[in-house]
Amino acid sequence: MSEFEFKCSCCGEIHKGIPTFGADYPITVLQVPEEERDKRVDLGSDDCVIDEKDFYVRGCIEIPVHGYDDPFVWVTWVSLSKESFLQFIEYFGEEKRSHIGPFFGWHCGDFIVYDEACVNLKTQVHLRDNSIRPYIELEPTDHPLAKEQREGITK
């Protein structure tokens, strides 16, 4: 099969392989007025806290691509309970952490390629070893994104 090539939006270089798309923050950040975000939003590369009461983590929804070894990846955000978030943070820096969790969460991203909203889909967040970003497993529903995660997509 022919290999994918794409121009990276971060570095401007041409890369080979299946692209990854992602969000820099949970969609709920947009509910906070821009002039208040510095005070109300604590955003890291893989975690976010809004108003010290709403907790989010970043992970990967992986979609198998028929005929390819590597998946297509949506890098996205999930809300967690405070208890789950604190446990997630406690172990996130550990090399061996896949035995912790999974954590129930609500998907906090939306992708315009789907006719149905992707916000608030039920998920399980699975920590992975060796500093690999967590895997987000969608509840097996009829939502197109959940179906793609189960069944895969074509090129």
Side-chain angles (χ1 to χ4, degrees):
M1 254 186 206
S2 63
E3 207 170 330
F4 283 97
E5 282 190 2
F6 62 97
K7 184 175 182 178
C8 179
S9 63
C10 294
C11 70
E13 298 291 321
I14 300 293
H15 295 283
K16 292 183 185 286
I18 297 176
T20 296
F21 293 95
D24 294 330
Y25 48 81
I27 199 167
T28 48
V29 166
L30 299 175
Q31 296 171 350
V32 177
E34 194 169 348
E35 64 276 5
E36 298 176 18
R37 289 183 192 157
D38 283 345
K39 291 183 179 181
R40 296 178 53 195
V41 177
D42 182 9
L43 178 64
S45 61
D46 293 289
D47 62 272
C48 179
V49 178
I50 299 176
D51 294 329
E52 298 181 17
K53 66 178 180 65
D54 297 318
F55 306 92
Y56 306 90
V57 296
R58 198 174 190 193
C60 301
I61 296 175
E62 297 179 358
I63 310 293
V65 181
H66 301 294
Y68 291 87
D69 293 333
D70 294 327
F72 172 83
V73 179
W74 290 111
V75 180
T76 190
W77 295 83
V78 172
S79 68
L80 298 180
S81 68
K82 182 177 183 177
E83 179 183 317
S84 292
F85 178 80
L86 292 174
Q87 190 176 16
F88 177 96
I89 293 299
E90 179 181 351
Y91 289 96
F92 189 71
E94 301 290 325
E95 283 298 309
K96 299 296 182 196
R97 60 192 185 192
S98 61
H99 63 287
I100 305 300
F103 304 100
F104 173 80
W106 296 96
H107 184 241
C108 292
D110 207 9
F111 310 123
I112 62 171
V113 298
Y114 298 100
D115 292 334
E116 297 179 40
C118 298
V119 177
N120 292 328
L121 297 175
K122 292 179 182 179
T123 69
Q124 292 288 325
V125 178
H126 300 266
L127 287 173
R128 297 192 270 194
D129 293 337
N130 304 319
S131 301
I132 297 172
R133 191 166 268 147
Y135 174 75
I136 298 173
E137 176 187 12
L138 295 167
E139 178 183 50
T141 65
D142 287 335
H143 188 283
L145 180 59
K147 286 175 74 173
E148 287 181 356
Q149 188 177 46
R150 284 193 314 274
E151 301 170 10
I153 59 174
T154 62
K155 179 181 173 184

